[in-house]
Amino acid sequence: MEFLNPEPPYVLFRDRPEWSDVTPIAQDDGPTPLAPILYSDKYKDATSYFRAIYVAKEYSPRVLDLTLEIIKQNASHYTVWQYRYRTLLALNSPLTQELHLLSKLLPTHLKSYQAWNHRRLLLLQLGKKSARGELAFAEIALAKDAKNYHTWVYREWLLCNFFAPAPAITTSPAAGEDAEPAIEELDEDGGADEEVWREEVVFTDRMLEDDVRNNSVWHHRFFVLFEGPRAKQSPDVAESEIEYTKHKIALAPNNASSWNYLRGILSHTRTPLPLLLPFARPYTLPQSAQSSLRAFADPGELPFLPGEKAQLPCVAALEFVADALAEEGKPEAGGVYDELVQRDPVRKQFWEYRKRSLQSASAPVGAQA
Amino acid sequence: MAADAVAGTTTPEFLSRMHVAHCVRCLRGLPDAAVEADCMRMMVAYYCLSSLDLLSGLDEKVSKDEKSDWITWIWSQYISDDQLAGFRGAPFLTGPSAAAQEPPHILMTYTALLSLAILRDDFSRLDRRRLIAFLKQTQLADGSFEPWLGSGEGGDVRIIYGALAICRMLNSWTGIDLQSTVAYIQACRAHDGGYGQTPHAEANGGATYCAVAALELASQPLQGKERDHTLSWLAHRQKDGFQGRTEKEQDACYSFWCGAAIALLGSADLVDRDSNAQFLMGCQFKLGGFAKAIGEFPDPLHTYLSMAALSIYPPSWGVPLSGIDPLINVRTETASWITEKLASSEPL
């Protein structure tokens, strides 16, 4: 990201008067380097000064200038990041300022593991009071790249690290004695934390409004509601999530993410697939059959029927129906796998393998779109 | 262009000579645009060397002297003190006085060992006990490994894969706590049957390969319903080539990550080889190398992984590539060399 004001022309470190006391150390790559990089002068210059301060163990404000320049050129330089972090701590630098700087840098380095790791280290120092603002920052970063892996991992880390109960409080043998005060403390903080996790669900609603095919969001929603440290194992959550997903499938039937989410819930709650056969079946029929389906449908079921523009039959629905029939041990499953061979030819061998495994005693499981 | 009689379409020519020239060029020098690889040149070198190995281009196009120079460089990245030993990625901190030294890195050690085997080094300079001690030191309480000692970074399934591949190559399992590592991998399993890079992360092809391979290396391969579910997740990633995550675009490297994981699960017959190869051939760059997608520029990682995928899944019209061991990710003959020269027959 460009700053609002144009930057002054770049000055090499060897031409900066405040560095004149330092003798740069050039890289020694030996006489026969393998895969050598034809470095720019700018990078060679900055890293030569870095080698010098690294050997001298200098932790000073100018080190922050130097390390920033190198990071801008090579955000994967993990030693430079680590040295910068140590310098910040040694100088007692205001870390919120560093966080602010990193917010400006990150949009151009979203794929840099090191940049996100640096941010995690800062947050560990700054503590929970800064963590809420970080959820907002992660959302801004996702506006730039809604599927960025590092951003989602960071968000999940924030939630687990700052808004989750301390793990394993009941496993300690002394828990009985200390149980009361511990629970009080947890409740006070826990109420606000619960709110953060509730907001997290609303956040995934927003993200899915933007792109119902963003699998990162579906994954995150599953984490929040079913797998994360504040997931509630209640049948109500599963039931309302199944309804929610049915709506999203009606919106865009050919979406592997929503079908996988649905199957994830069913598997997590040990709900048999055949329970959802009435929902899935209409999606296995051609568009020409839909008007009569709509005419005879119960009004409550209308929102879950495929839309008029849906591309049908839907492969993910065929797979769902085939697997549900297989789960019930019904031989009709074979015919549905045959149809999948026709409609999804790149997985011909896979569908034939599934059909063959019908013969074996155990029902096939865990298929997905 | 060779005619494909069956489909009536033409199959693109596999540009062997261009690929060999491209890989040799990268080993001799990378442009400034590759500066982000500065700390991991060892890995870049492995991608190029292993490509040349699959292309059988090392004896043909590289002189003995140059190969010997390359071996010298790799050994000059070997860091050993009185306790630990391993390889760094490059001498990025080192000046002529060598007052500063980079610590060894697990993934650079993994790729250095493979590269030395490709160049048929005999490993006589390697201290296996100290290398195992290095892995032991980097193991974290949660069972994962930090990439280098004192990194302050957590582990993930990529580093676990590298660490276990080293254990396999040395045939030594006494140094690490394998059960906690396996528990960490299990925690990376996602609701859809794929694996994320860390616990709670979204499933992706690279992490799923690392998890499947690591479990295989640990002699605790996926089985039963879990295996079927993961296989299904992997099979569903094929479009023509493979995508890395659900509902994302295909990318050449996932033909290897997903394809090799399917092969490790014993189901290589489920992949549509010709569709996969058609996509990869579209990623072939006319001056050599493979890009991540059609119309993009090549890089060593996508060049190697495209060829590795074609080696596992040769199309019906054939490609001039040697066979590969999908578990440690190197040509089959080179894997045999490792078993012969690197694996210890006695406990370390």
Side-chain angles (χ1 to χ4, degrees):
Chain A
M1 178 176 285
E2 289 306 316
F3 298 106
L4 288 177
N5 300 315
E7 285 190 73
Y10 188 84
V11 180
L12 294 173
F13 283 86
R14 64 169 178 257
D15 298 326
R16 298 185 190 195
E18 72 272 26
W19 285 89
S20 59
D21 60 311
V22 177
T23 308
I25 301 177
Q27 181 185 33
D28 181 4
D29 202 2
T32 58
L34 185 54
I37 296 167
L38 309 170
Y39 303 118
S40 67
D41 271 356
K42 204 172 143 181
Y43 188 76
K44 241 191 270 186
D45 168 72
T47 50
S48 296
Y49 279 84
F50 179 71
R51 275 178 215 108
I53 59 106
Y54 188 91
V55 171
K57 297 190 169 57
E58 176 183 328
Y59 299 96
S60 67
R62 67 180 177 183
V63 169
L64 297 178
D65 295 339
L66 177 66
T67 50
L68 180 61
E69 281 308 335
I70 299 175
I71 284 162
K72 283 183 184 172
Q73 296 172 52
N74 173 12
S76 304
H77 201 311
Y78 51 81
T79 311
V80 168
W81 279 106
Q82 188 183 57
Y83 202 87
R84 178 177 182 84
Y85 179 66
R86 287 186 179 161
T87 306
L88 288 164
L89 295 188
L91 295 174
N92 224 350
S93 283
L95 296 183
T96 43
Q97 207 174 303
E98 178 74 357
L99 199 63
H100 187 66
L101 175 75
L102 196 57
S103 301
K104 286 185 182 173
L105 275 178
L106 256 173
T108 44
H109 297 291
L110 282 178
K111 292 194 171 170
S112 161
Y113 173 86
Q114 302 303 331
W116 287 103
N117 189 54
H118 189 66
R119 201 165 183 102
R120 258 193 295 275
L121 293 174
L122 294 177
L123 259 289
L124 285 174
Q125 294 291 330
L126 289 166
K128 184 169 179 171
K129 63 185 189 305
S130 302
R132 255 178 187 267
E134 285 305 285
L135 291 171
F137 172 76
E139 191 166 352
I140 293 169
L142 290 171
K144 180 130 182 141
D145 177 1
K147 297 182 180 179
N148 183 270
Y149 206 74
H150 297 299
T151 314
W152 286 105
V153 167
Y154 180 65
R155 192 175 185 100
E156 281 139 19
W157 175 81
L158 287 170
L159 290 165
C160 288
N161 206 62
F162 295 110
F163 303 104
I169 44 165
T170 53
T171 55
S172 152
E177 289 169 44
D178 303 331
E180 231 178 317
I183 284 171
E184 261 177 25
E185 238 177 47
L186 206 72
D187 272 348
E188 204 182 322
D189 230 30
D193 289 355
E194 284 284 354
E195 184 54 30
V196 167
W197 289 83
R198 271 195 295 274
E199 282 171 22
E200 207 57 16
V201 179
V202 180
F203 156 73
T204 60
D205 286 342
R206 275 203 300 282
M207 294 291 291
L208 289 176
E209 294 281 319
D210 283 350
D211 178 7
V212 75
R213 289 187 168 81
N214 186 337
N215 191 62
S216 304
V217 185
W218 286 103
H219 169 82
H220 190 70
R221 193 173 174 100
F222 199 89
F223 157 73
V224 169
L225 288 170
F226 296 103
E227 282 182 341
R230 282 196 181 264
K232 291 190 182 56
Q233 309 305 329
S234 98
D236 293 353
V237 174
E239 203 177 308
S240 73
E241 282 307 290
I242 289 172
E243 295 300 288
Y244 179 85
T245 312
K246 282 158 71 180
H247 276 291
K248 295 292 183 198
I249 289 174
L251 206 65
N254 291 292
N255 177 7
S257 296
S258 50
W259 285 98
N260 280 352
Y261 186 77
L262 183 65
R263 284 168 172 270
I265 302 169
L266 298 181
S267 155
H268 189 77
T269 55
R270 298 174 193 282
T271 310
L273 292 189
L275 272 183
L276 281 165
L277 271 175
F279 163 73
R281 279 215 193 264
Y283 291 87
T284 65
L285 301 171
Q287 191 58 259
S288 58
Q290 300 297 325
S291 55
S292 53
L293 276 181
R294 272 191 286 274
F296 293 105
D298 184 86
E301 291 304 314
L302 275 174
F304 300 127
L305 287 174
E308 286 168 18
K309 286 180 184 161
Q311 277 202 341
L312 300 173
C314 163
V315 166
L318 285 166
E319 179 177 13
F320 189 95
V321 168
D323 292 349
L325 292 172
E327 198 174 294
E328 288 183 311
K330 293 199 173 149
E332 299 99 286
V336 189
Y337 286 126
D338 288 340
E339 189 174 351
L340 280 162
V341 169
Q342 300 304 315
R343 300 206 177 270
D344 186 32
V346 79
R347 261 167 291 283
K348 177 174 182 286
Q349 304 295 338
F350 179 73
W351 300 126
E352 286 172 354
Y353 154 78
R354 293 295 284 271
K355 191 181 171 185
R356 282 197 304 277
S357 60
L358 280 177
Q359 265 68 287
S360 65
S362 65
V365 287
Q368 67 229 285
Chain B
M1 295 280 185
D4 181 333
V6 183
T9 56
T10 55
T11 54
E13 186 188 355
F14 185 86
L15 303 170
S16 288
R17 289 168 55 143
M18 289 290 195
H19 296 317
V20 169
H22 174 79
C23 293
V24 172
R25 219 159 39 229
C26 289
L27 286 167
R28 288 177 184 159
L30 298 161
D32 175 51
V35 72
E36 291 219 4
D38 194 25
C39 304
M40 40 191 162
R41 280 166 50 205
M42 187 68 78
M43 194 174 268
V44 177
Y46 153 70
Y47 291 137
C48 299
L49 288 168
S50 208
S51 299
L52 287 170
D53 207 12
L54 293 181
L55 290 158
S56 305
L58 268 168
D59 293 331
E60 198 185 318
K61 291 288 170 190
V62 185
S63 71
K64 265 201 167 133
D65 284 353
E66 190 164 22
K67 274 187 278 194
S68 148
D69 285 350
W70 291 349
I71 291 174
T72 304
W73 185 85
I74 295 171
W75 277 112
S76 65
Q77 313 317 316
Y78 181 60
I79 307 294
S80 176
D81 62 20
D82 53 356
Q83 292 177 354
L84 310 178
F87 291 81
R88 63 185 173 189
F92 50 89
L93 286 179
T94 307
S97 73
Q101 222 173 28
E102 304 78 357
H105 187 296
I106 289 181
L107 296 180
M108 303 307 143
T109 302
Y110 159 67
T111 48
L113 295 175
L114 292 176
S115 299
L116 287 168
I118 291 166
L119 294 166
R120 298 296 184 260
D121 181 78
D122 66 1
F123 296 104
S124 57
R125 281 172 267 188
L126 187 72
D127 187 324
R128 292 166 173 77
R129 271 193 187 79
R130 283 180 189 162
L131 178 46
I132 292 295
F134 162 58
L135 295 182
K136 189 181 182 126
Q137 288 280 311
T138 48
Q139 190 165 24
L140 301 168
D142 63 6
S144 70
F145 297 80
E146 64 172 336
W148 49 283
L149 209 52
S151 69
E153 299 172 16
D156 59 46
V157 287
R158 293 171 315 152
I159 318 289
I160 285 177
Y161 167 75
L164 299 196
I166 294 169
C167 292
R168 164 64 67 101
M169 288 194 270
L170 297 180
N171 189 28
S172 172
W173 297 91
T174 51
I176 62 166
D177 175 8
L178 197 56
Q179 268 336 96
S180 66
T181 305
V182 169
Y184 182 95
I185 298 168
Q186 283 161 349
C188 294
R189 198 176 165 85
H191 72 274
D192 49 16
Y195 287 80
Q197 204 158 294
T198 48
H200 304 312
E202 181 187 1
N204 88 54
T208 303
Y209 168 80
C210 289
V212 167
L215 291 171
E216 177 77 33
L217 287 164
S219 301
Q220 299 184 36
L222 276 175
Q223 286 177 339
K225 292 180 175 186
E226 283 202 330
R227 179 246 178 219
D228 292 348
H229 197 185
T230 299
L231 178 63
S232 174
W233 185 86
L234 289 162
H236 278 81
R237 301 288 68 75
Q238 184 164 21
K239 295 174 78 146
D240 291 314
F242 285 77
Q243 62 190 179
R245 287 187 260 163
T246 306
E247 294 291 335
K248 285 203 72 174
E249 291 307 306
Q250 52 193 344
D251 173 325
C253 69
Y254 294 109
S255 288
F256 177 81
W257 299 127
C258 295
I262 291 172
L264 290 177
L265 293 176
S267 289
D269 56 326
L270 301 188
V271 169
D272 184 333
R273 295 169 182 227
D274 285 1
S275 296
N276 180 55
Q278 283 285 0
F279 170 73
L280 290 177
M281 293 311 291
C283 299
Q284 181 178 241
F285 192 64
K286 56 180 188 274
L287 301 176
F290 286 80
K292 70 172 187 174
I294 294 159
E296 307 238 8
F297 287 103
D299 61 72
L301 177 141
H302 288 92
T303 297
Y304 174 60
L305 293 179
S306 297
M307 287 196 257
L310 288 169
S311 165
I312 303 174
Y313 297 110
S316 53
W317 60 88
V319 281
L321 291 168
S322 297
I324 193 172
D325 174 348
L327 186 56
I328 61 167
N329 201 358
V330 78
R331 183 175 166 169
T332 318
E333 290 87 337
T334 303
S336 304
W337 177 268
I338 288 170
T339 309
E340 190 186 326
K341 302 285 180 180
L342 188 53
S344 171
S345 50
E346 52 204 86
L348 293 174

